[in-house]
Amino acid sequence: MHNETPIVRRKSKRIYVGNVPIGDGAPIAVQSMTNTRTTDVEATVKQIESLQRVGVDIVRVSVPTMEAAEAFKLIKQRVSVPLVADIHFDYRIALQVAEYGVDCLRINPGNIGREDRIRAVVDCARDKNIPIRIGINGGSLEKDIQEKYGEPTPEALVESALRHVEILDRMNFDAFKVSVKASDVFLAVQSYRLLAKQIEQPLHLGITEAGGARSGSVKSAIGLGMLLAEGIGDTLRISLAADPVEEVKVGFDILKALRIRSRGINFIACPTCSRQEFDVIGTVNALEQRLEDIITPMDVSIIGCVVNGPGEALVSDIGVTGGHNKSGYYENGERQKERFDNDNMIDQLEAKIRARASMLDKSKRIDVSQD
Ligand code: SF4
């Protein structure tokens, strides 16, 4: 029920990773990366499926060897989400996965080596409509750039990126996106800001090697939040030393917080205090788990007492406000006669949220069919 985001997006070119549009106002795509051994096809497919269940748009898979390329072929046949092959240096692997239907190549053209090999990859990508992602990382800059700048700086990261961009420009290939990731929030943010002024291609955002689930999410939210609020960014990945499923959830949470892209429930909950009339924290935690399958964008406010409850409930799809023994219930911003038993809050709320999601889905289908 909250308004659209006030953020104005940077203008960028449109590319497609499989059927997912990137740039030029397309929804910001949430990516993740498998951390299984690619040669373990079963484990990798299973992980990709679990990422799809939480809404991932694009999945990157490391393809370090020709054996992994063969496994990639089998993986690609079994999943529906677009796959990016992550390749360093070996152009033959790039050509091989292109044959196997890869949706995007993450390869830095300048690292491929000889001109004829770069051209072979770029020509192949052009023939098969496969975009490329140039990925710069503050931890692996070219030696001469490191020497020139002494340490990773925004200018150093951007110079590195532009070297690869120039190669693709020279070969008249413009279906690419670029990332300039760093583990330091300010370094990453400044690098993206600088690059955003110099190219029109979509930017893939990330704070690389951000850390564990909690600290990495905080760093990513700050860094990506600054950029996204300025309109910079067309795709993103949260890099966590954690289950990649968490990366996708955090990615959507960041977009949700900025009202850029909604998926699933946006919970509004008070931190609780001695005034709370029911177990707010237990209710929110249980519902977050139980309702992971809901993808309908909805605001649900769960507030422990009347101090802030009615105000939040009035701007939520579903709201509950703690009262003595029984709590006030709101739907679509309107107070309902029905009240909820405080000791059965979770089941009652789950039923109401599911019913509302299904009603919103139905009305959306009717709207679309009448277009
Ligand atoms: S809304 Fe009520 S219960 Fe929740 S923190 Fe505020 S005063 Fe405490």
Side-chain angles (χ1 to χ4, degrees), residues 270-277 280 303-309:
C270 74
T272 77
C273 71
S274 69
R275 284 198 178 93
Q276 74 169 336
E277 302 279 6
V280 171
I303 308 290
C305 79
V306 291
V307 171
N308 292 320

Side-chain angles (χ1 to χ4, degrees), residues 212-287:
R214 192 195 68 236
S215 58
S217 300
V218 171
K219 270 188 223 167
S220 300
I222 292 172
L224 270 52
M226 287 161 94
L227 290 164
L228 291 166
E230 293 168 22
I232 296 172
D234 302 283
T235 78
L236 60 82
R237 180 205 173 182
I238 311 301
S239 299
L240 300 178
D243 184 340
V245 163
E246 292 305 311
E247 298 187 348
V248 179
K249 289 183 187 172
V250 174
F252 276 110
D253 281 345
I254 292 172
L255 295 177
K256 239 188 258 178
L258 292 168
R259 286 189 255 137
I260 291 175
R261 185 176 171 196
S262 298
R263 183 188 190 278
I265 298 165
N266 174 35
F267 282 103
I268 297 132
C270 74
T272 77
C273 71
S274 69
R275 284 198 178 93
Q276 74 169 336
E277 302 279 6
F278 67 95
D279 176 13
V280 171
I281 294 174
T283 303
V284 173
N285 287 340
L287 288 174

Side-chain angles (χ1 to χ4, degrees), residues 40 45 52 67 159 167 185 203 297 324:
D40 186 343
V45 167
Q52 283 190 272
E67 194 192 353
E159 183 171 331
I167 294 172
V185 168
L203 297 180
H324 186 57

